Amino acid sequence: MIELKTAIAENIFWVGVVDWNLRDFHGYVTNRGATYNSYLIADEKTVLVDTVKHTFAEELATNIKDVTDFDKIDYIIVNHVEMDHSSSLPMIAEKAKNATIIASEKGKEHIICHYGDHFKIQTVKTGDTLNLGDRTLTFVEAPMLHWPDSMMTYVTPDKILMSNDAFGQHLASSQRFDDEVDEHILMEEAGTYYANILMPFGPIIIRKIQEITQLGIAPTMIAPSHGIIWRSNPSRIVNAYLQWSEGKAKRKISIVYDTMWGSTDKMAHAIADGATSQGVEVKLMKLRATELSEVVTEILDSKAVIVGSPTMNNQMFPTLGHFLAYITGLRPKGKVWSFFGSFGWGGGAVRGMTETAKKAGFEVREPGIEVKFVPNDEDLRKCFELGKQIASEI
Ligand code: FEO
């Protein structure tokens, strides 16, 4: 008999798995582990919503078996084909021989690309419904949240939105619901998840939330495919997504830098002093001492980002190249950027970083500051003034 704590509503069960030891999710550092949520709806028709990462396929199969026989599964809904949610699909589909897979048109294409063309797949579009008996499922395509194939499944009359990646967090827990876990940790992980996975898609998120509302979907529970389920106040995470997507941020400056012999470090501290003299919050992050996932999360709620690098072989320091490749891809909105650094003879780091940021469409304040070898008192005064100037602007 399945334990009661896995029932998220009457005859709707969480049958997912907890990946306690995950520390790297395709480069995103997951210090608190992860979960892959899968749901089983036992109505006149029986439906499995999403599967899990293949390394946990046996555990998923055991969880399903605790609720129902595989022969009774009529549908497997694949809300998203990224392998954390679909890589146990071949094994589960093999067991659930009577099941039809339901996916978006793109989802069907992605399933075939990943696992071959031997599944019975029914495609759905936004607004399509599937009656299960007492319940009806409504599908909402959500392209780019997080892949072109992504969609959400809304369960009525329970009013549960199974949102897949959207509204998730990487947070391993024995608890399933938002009112059972530390609220601060939950929102911190939701922010980190948004910053590292969904930040590029802010405008799409805003439109999707509007569209869902227009469709009359008003969930009392949001059950994502990662982490904790929002049942006490689902509008809290929806409102947080709207704020993040609109680029709303605090009077806060993230100073991101690296250093070889300490010159850029001295400059970073002088800039921080200038900024704090204006009463703004400052976060100083040396790249080799801070996880990139954390840096990006700090940038999410910062109004300005000041970035520093020494020059190495006429280029920015390699960690800055890594950082800029990541952050320009994430396309943060509405922030002011400025650059500083040091060099010995040729220079090039500040110019290179500035060009990269401008090419990405960032709002850059020029000129930046570049000093030869070691900053003198006048150089540090200029750094202090830069911190002051950016702080007063935000
Ligand atoms: Fe959790 Fe885009 O997969």
Side-chain angles (χ1 to χ4, degrees):
M1 195 63 191
I2 193 150
E3 293 172 44
L4 264 183
K5 67 177 180 180
T6 59
I8 67 165
E10 193 181 349
N11 292 327
I12 303 181
F13 302 93
W14 178 87
V15 289
V17 298
V18 181
D19 190 350
W20 294 97
N21 298 316
L22 187 79
R23 292 294 177 270
D24 183 330
F25 185 90
H26 60 42
Y28 160 1
V29 174
T30 51
N31 286 325
R32 292 191 174 107
T35 78
Y36 313 107
N37 298 343
S38 178
Y39 302 99
L40 197 127
I41 306 170
D43 205 316
E44 285 171 29
K45 299 285 185 188
T46 300
V47 180
L48 178 69
V49 181
D50 290 320
T51 66
V52 302
K53 194 171 167 183
H54 65 99
T55 41
F56 297 92
E58 288 294 346
E59 196 175 326
L60 170 65
T62 301
N63 292 348
I64 293 170
K65 198 77 185 57
D66 283 344
V67 184
T68 193
D69 291 332
F70 277 98
D71 286 350
K72 290 190 178 149
I73 298 176
D74 298 288
Y75 299 101
I76 301 172
I77 294 171
V78 176
N79 277 325
H80 175 31
V81 183
E82 190 163 11
M83 285 173 279
D84 48 331
H85 306 293
S86 76
S87 53
S88 55
L89 176 67
M91 190 265 241
I92 297 296
E94 176 68 28
K95 288 177 182 288
K97 293 195 184 305
N98 301 320
T100 298
I101 293 171
I102 294 186
S104 65
E105 192 62 50
K106 274 282 171 199
K108 178 179 177 180
E109 178 190 323
H110 292 186
I111 289 168
I112 293 169
C113 288
H114 281 77
Y115 308 114
D117 193 4
H118 55 277
F119 300 102
K120 188 167 49 169
I121 305 177
Q122 177 184 331
T123 60
V124 289
K125 296 192 287 298
T126 293
D128 286 353
T129 58
L130 179 69
N131 185 265
L132 307 181
D134 290 340
R135 293 180 176 78
T136 299
L137 305 182
T138 303
F139 302 101
V140 181
E141 293 165 279
M144 300 320 297
L145 306 179
H146 156 236
W147 277 8
D149 65 304
S150 295
M151 67 174 195
M152 303 183 188
T153 299
Y154 186 54
V155 189
T156 48
D158 308 88
K159 294 191 167 188
I160 301 173
L161 182 65
M162 295 179 176
S163 57
N164 197 265
D165 274 343
F167 311 120
Q169 341 83 43
H170 283 315
L171 178 56
S173 175
S174 60
Q175 310 300 327
R176 300 275 73 82
F177 296 104
D178 54 351
D179 47 287
E180 298 173 329
V181 298
D182 184 292
E183 176 184 21
H184 174 75
I185 290 175
L186 176 61
M187 288 313 292
E188 183 181 306
E189 289 301 337
T192 302
Y193 183 94
Y194 176 91
N196 285 277
I197 303 279
L198 294 171
M199 197 197 286
F201 312 117
I204 296 175
I205 287 169
I206 294 169
R207 287 198 298 275
K208 188 54 58 182
I209 290 173
Q210 288 165 348
E211 182 193 327
I212 286 172
T213 308
Q214 282 159 8
L215 284 167
I217 292 176
T220 52
M221 184 184 291
I222 295 178
S225 287
H226 293 295
I228 300 300
I229 296 165
W230 307 89
R231 74 172 173 189
S232 71
N233 181 12
S235 60
R236 182 173 186 196
I237 188 63
V238 174
N239 290 336
Y241 265 51
L242 285 172
Q243 293 215 343
W244 292 327
S245 300
E246 285 162 3
K248 288 202 175 130
K250 295 195 270 187
R251 269 197 95 215
K252 169 177 162 185
I253 299 178
S254 284
I255 301 175
V256 183
Y257 72 102
D258 217 324
T259 194
M260 290 171 72
W261 291 104
S263 294
T264 312
D265 183 69
K266 282 182 186 151
M267 296 174 78
H269 280 84
I271 291 167
D273 289 345
T276 48
S277 75
Q278 300 304 297
V280 305
E281 180 183 342
V282 169
K283 185 81 181 184
L284 197 73
M285 294 171 282
K286 181 178 150 184
L287 282 169
R288 276 175 297 160
T290 319
E291 299 288 1
L292 204 48
S293 317
E294 185 189 333
V295 172
V296 167
T297 307
E298 295 292 342
I299 288 174
L300 178 66
D301 69 354
S302 297
K303 281 195 171 167
V305 189
I306 309 181
V307 184
S309 173
T311 294
M312 186 186 202
N313 302 324
N314 301 110
Q315 305 282 342
M316 66 187 86
F317 198 66
T319 51
L320 270 301
H322 184 207
F323 163 69
L324 285 174
Y326 194 49
I327 198 70
T328 54
L330 289 171
R331 305 196 288 275
K333 302 273 176 307
K335 303 187 189 304
V336 171
W337 294 75
S338 182
F339 296 91
F340 66 98
S342 58
F343 67 98
W345 44 99
V350 171
R351 185 177 62 246
M353 294 190 295
T354 303
E355 282 169 4
T356 302
K358 283 165 79 173
K359 202 169 148 198
F362 290 1
E363 194 180 329
V364 180
R365 295 289 174 268
E366 293 184 89
I369 301 177
E370 200 166 25
V371 307
K372 189 172 168 78
F373 282 119
V374 177
N376 58 29
D377 289 347
E378 176 58 13
D379 294 325
L380 292 176
R381 189 195 60 75
K382 284 183 189 162
C383 290
F384 185 90
E385 288 303 320
L386 175 69
K388 250 176 96 172
Q389 174 211 318
I390 300 289
S392 57
E393 189 178 335
I394 61 166

